[in-house]
Amino acid sequence: MAKVVFTPNVQRHVGCPTAEAGGTTVREVLEKVFAANPQARSYVLDDQSALRRHIAIFVDGQMIRDRAHLGDAVKDSSTIHVFQALSGG
Amino acid sequence: MSDKLLVSTRKGLFTVARKAGSWDISGVDFLGDNVTLTLTDSRNGRSYAALDLGHFGVKLHRSTATGWEEIAVPTYPPKPEGYEEKDMWGRELNWSTAKIWALATGGPDEPGTIWCGTLPGGLFRSNDHGRSWEMMRSLWDHPKRKQWMGGGADLPGIHSICVDPHNSKRVWVAVSTGGIWHTEDGGASWVQRGDGMRAEYVPPELAHDPIAQDVHCLVQCRAAPDRMWVQHHNGIFVSSDEGKTFTEITDVEPSVFGFAVVVHPREPDTAWFVPEIKDEKRIPREGKLAVTRTRDGGKSFEVLTKGLPQTHAYDVVYRHALALDEAGDRLAFGSTTGGLWVSENQGDGWACVTHTLPPIYAVRFA
């Protein structure tokens, strides 16, 4: 199962402990994580379920490119980091 | 009379309370976070606070007996697959709450109802004290809604909501930029209002088009709801027929430009404004901070400066940062440079509470 690590900066707003979930894309993994932690969802995704403008996601060190559909591939051994993008100031 | 203010700032929500005749900061919540607006529901005493957490989006909190709890935030419906809508730069318009810009309570016969206006233009209603929200698709899907443009922000937004004090199904909203919209049936259908307003920033043939009007703030007199006041990008306008038609008020010293307006709850001819040099500079004229007041429906204005800084004051007062209490005697306003002033005599004299707050976005009596 892929490991999902959230930025420490979100923790004071909503608890986002490191989670593990299966899936072949970022979307599949994150949907499982948010199903277990629904309040965290809107902190990472916007109303259209796209990645928020100033959130960056890395899969095994590579920033994902499909910010609308989160279709980037994930392996069972992957680590997904959900970070604040520097672009947000 | 209200003895408490909620002051929304770039770095937290400050509570200011009156004690022994003096107004002082008595508490702070959400310190470090961007609080953009509050609403206190006089029907039950609950307060609501809108936050813009930047990276993490817009959030809404509601007061509890011991603090605050996060509640649902208005959420836009899924955009239909393949549906394209561009903003004024040709970029895809994201159907997602970018800012909460208006909060208002429903009428006394709708105890759980809260109205919420947002960027990029969605109007929402909650019937359960903010636990859930329903978008007013009738307004969002109105074909003319796509003509709304950015004004106070890059995206269009609803910043003013007036609920008829005698009939909760009658509501007016104002859009920057998109004029005034009115429903008679609780939001099932909407019509444009606001004939008589005038826009200088469009070609002459569009100057009087109601949808081109950049209303900065719309308010309605509670005791005489026929009377509405507008602080507009191009000046001050007054209506005596519920916003169907407006008359422009000109030649007001020191300026007709500003963002905020409040109207007395029982005296429709009495209203207050905070004037600034229009419109590229947006600072008080000659560095002198002033409030203007009319008591005769706009025929004449007094310039109120007692207790306000009269040298090198560059305070800008945003549309939600001027407040009047329910009794109609106490006023307060806050500025982009962190100044907060209170008057207990309808603006005749002012006392500075502090001038070191973070930029102030909204001031409300609670």
Side-chain angles (χ1 to χ4, degrees), chain B residues 174-207:
Chain B
V175 184
S176 181
T177 295
I180 295 169
W181 291 80
H182 174 59
T183 178
E184 290 274 335
D185 49 20
S189 62
W190 295 84
V191 292
Q192 176 101 59
R193 288 284 190 246
D195 285 336
M197 291 191 288
R198 178 183 61 84
E200 292 174 355
Y201 41 81
V202 289
E205 61 271 26
L206 299 177

